[in-house]
Structure formats: structure tokens, C-alpha cells
Amino acid sequence: MTDVKLGVNVDHVATVREARGIDVPDPVAAASIVERNGADLITIHRRLDQRHITDRDLEILRRTVKTPLNLELAVNPEIIDKALQVGPDKVTLVPENRQEVTTEGGLDVKKAQEKIVAAVEKFQSRGIEVALFIDPDSKQLEASRQTGARAVELHTGDYAETEPASVERSQALERLAKAAQTGEELGLEICAGHGLNYRNVKPVARLAQVVELNIGHAIVARAVMVGIGKATRQMKQLIQEATE
Ligand code: PXP
């Protein structure tokens, strides 16, 4: 069995920072910690409004990350130029709607074919790997292959939203399995992500064709819960020391 790589998405460390508008917690520091704890790549989404990851983060991460840096971005000229300037190891093209809380669906590759083909060409000609974030659908896979991209990231959101052990979950997993197989037959590298967590990740990680999973919210959420006890003890200790 081949190892499935884990891309840790550190966007939501920046979300917490931006909620206060100060400089902590820093996604750059978080990236370094997750790398030292087994992450195989660092994934970030530089949104058009920089609502979490900012250009400062992107530029420093480019210099400091030791594993491959995977930048998720919209097919938008401004952000494509920024990405080409910074030079991540990999880009994942995603749809982006300004109002959405998180990426809502996969790219409609056929609809945006011309723009996607041009972006894929720009990145791949500079040795930057490109994945297209798509729903697990054979039409999207076929359209993806026609863009020249060598990889896709299958959107696991529908699967993740189903009830555990439900018929809907089995059907969603079956759709992912079928898409992974079709994608491989088309010569595409298969990555997957969105909504994966500690309870639902295993069946997706077991899909034979999947080589990489990108996971963010669940890891940041778990980090808060496993860390908040220690953080409280450290603060309590300081207060006690001050009043001794
Ligand atoms: N993959 C892609 C393409 C995404 O847009 C996101 C969310 O930024 C993720 C993976 C990670 O999703 P989650 O935070 O739900 O784990």
C-alpha cells in the first residue's frame, strides 16, 4: 500500500489571528509545527479578500516551509500573477465566491475551460504542479484531463456531510471511489479533501488511487481542544507566580 500524503491547511490559524487583527496565532509558526509532526505538505488558500491568509503569510511561508507548499487559488488574473511571483510548489485551482464561508463546490471545468487551460499552462510551464478541485463526476474528470492538468483534488464535502453509516454516505463514498478510478484511468493524479475529519477520513484514505489528502478545519479545531487545557494551566501558573 502506498503512503497517502497529508496536506495540512493552516488557513484557520490565520482566521483566529484576523478575528483580533493582531499578529498571533501565526500560520507561519503553525506550519513549522505541523511539518515537525508529520505533515507532508502545507496547504493555504489565499483568498481574493485575504480574509485569512495574507500576502505576508504567503511570502514568508514560501521562504520557510520545508515540505511542498500547495497554494489554493481562484482562477483570477490578480491572484494568478501573485502566485507566479511567489512560486509555490503546487497550486490547486478552486472556485471562489466572495460570500461563501468555505469553498462550496468543485470547479465547473468545462464552463471555465479557456481560463483554466491558460492558467494550467502558465503554472506547469514553470514547473508548478496543478490540481483542479472538482466534484467526483466523470464529466468534470474528462474536462480536467483536457485542460492538460496532471492532477485533480476530489471534493469530499458531499461525502463528509452525510450521516455516518447511512445509505447516503455509502453512495457518496462509491461516487468518490468511481471518480478516483476514472481519474486514474485518464492518467490524473488523485488528491481529495474538504470536510474530512477524525471520524470520516479512513474510508477516503483507503481508496487505492488517492495519493494526497488536504485537511484543515478538523485539525485546527482539534488543536484548540487538545491544547486549551495546557494553555489554561500555563496562564494559571503565571498568575499564581505573580501573587506568591
Ligand atoms: N481542499 C480544498 C481545495 C479546500 O478549498 C479546502 C478548504 O480550504 C480544503 C481542502 C480543506 O477543507 P477543510 O478545512 O474542510 O478540511
Side-chain angles (χ1 to χ4, degrees):
M1 205 173 200
T2 51
D3 276 351
V4 178
K5 291 191 186 118
L6 171 63
V8 177
N9 182 317
V10 296
D11 291 353
H12 297 310
V13 176
T15 302
V16 176
R17 176 192 63 192
E18 294 303 313
R20 246 323 149 91
I22 54 172
D23 57 2
V24 289
D26 189 346
V28 173
S32 164
I33 296 170
V34 304
E35 281 186 323
R36 280 181 274 131
N37 284 277
D40 299 295
L41 63 152
I42 300 297
T43 297
I44 48 171
H45 186 172
R46 196 294 213 169
R47 285 183 165 270
L48 292 166
D49 60 7
Q50 300 190 60
R51 79 164 86 123
H52 39 58
I53 294 294
T54 62
D55 282 343
R56 170 262 179 205
D57 301 330
L58 175 56
E59 284 156 16
I60 301 179
L61 284 165
R62 174 57 303 177
R63 295 200 298 275
T64 54
V65 158
K66 298 197 169 50
T67 55
L69 179 64
N70 172 25
L71 175 63
E72 298 172 352
L73 73 160
V75 190
N76 166 285
E78 177 207 325
I79 178 69
I80 289 174
D81 282 351
K82 182 73 202 170
L84 287 166
Q85 188 193 322
V86 171
D89 300 284
K90 172 178 177 181
V91 293
T92 303
L93 301 182
V94 300
E96 188 172 319
N97 156 2
R98 277 176 201 272
Q99 267 76 50
E100 69 192 2
V101 174
T102 182
T103 315
E104 281 166 355
L107 281 170
D108 188 340
V109 182
K110 213 170 183 91
K111 207 165 149 201
Q113 186 102 5
E114 223 172 285
K115 281 201 271 179
I116 295 175
V117 168
V120 169
E121 219 281 305
K122 273 190 187 152
F123 287 116
Q124 288 188 167
S125 66
R126 298 205 193 176
I128 298 171
E129 195 187 322
V130 182
L132 306 184
F133 185 53
I134 58 167
D135 290 328
D137 172 286
S138 59
K139 287 198 191 73
Q140 294 298 341
L141 284 156
E142 181 56 45
S144 298
R145 194 187 65 86
Q146 286 170 10
T147 65
R150 296 192 198 105
V152 289
E153 179 171 328
L154 298 177
H155 194 322
T156 50
D158 280 351
Y159 160 82
E161 278 168 22
T162 55
E163 288 295 321
S166 63
V167 176
E168 290 76 18
R169 174 151 299 186
S170 313
Q171 289 168 342
L173 184 61
E174 189 48 41
R175 278 196 297 279
L176 286 168
K178 217 170 136 202
Q181 197 181 337
T182 306
E184 191 184 58
E185 285 163 10
L186 290 168
L188 294 161
E189 183 179 275
I190 310 296
C191 310
H194 209 281
L196 295 176
N197 62 36
Y198 294 84
R199 294 178 307 282
N200 65 22
V201 71
K202 279 191 172 174
V204 181
R206 276 191 208 110
L207 297 176
Q209 299 82 7
V210 169
V211 296
E212 176 189 304
L213 295 175
N214 287 295
I215 307 180
H217 186 267
I219 293 176
V220 175
R222 175 68 60 109
V224 172
M225 289 306 156
V226 300
I228 202 164
K230 186 172 177 190
T232 304
R233 287 194 301 280
Q234 288 176 348
M235 185 57 80
K236 183 83 181 171
Q237 165 111 30
L238 281 175
I239 294 168
Q240 275 169 351
E241 280 168 19
T243 53
E244 264 163 18

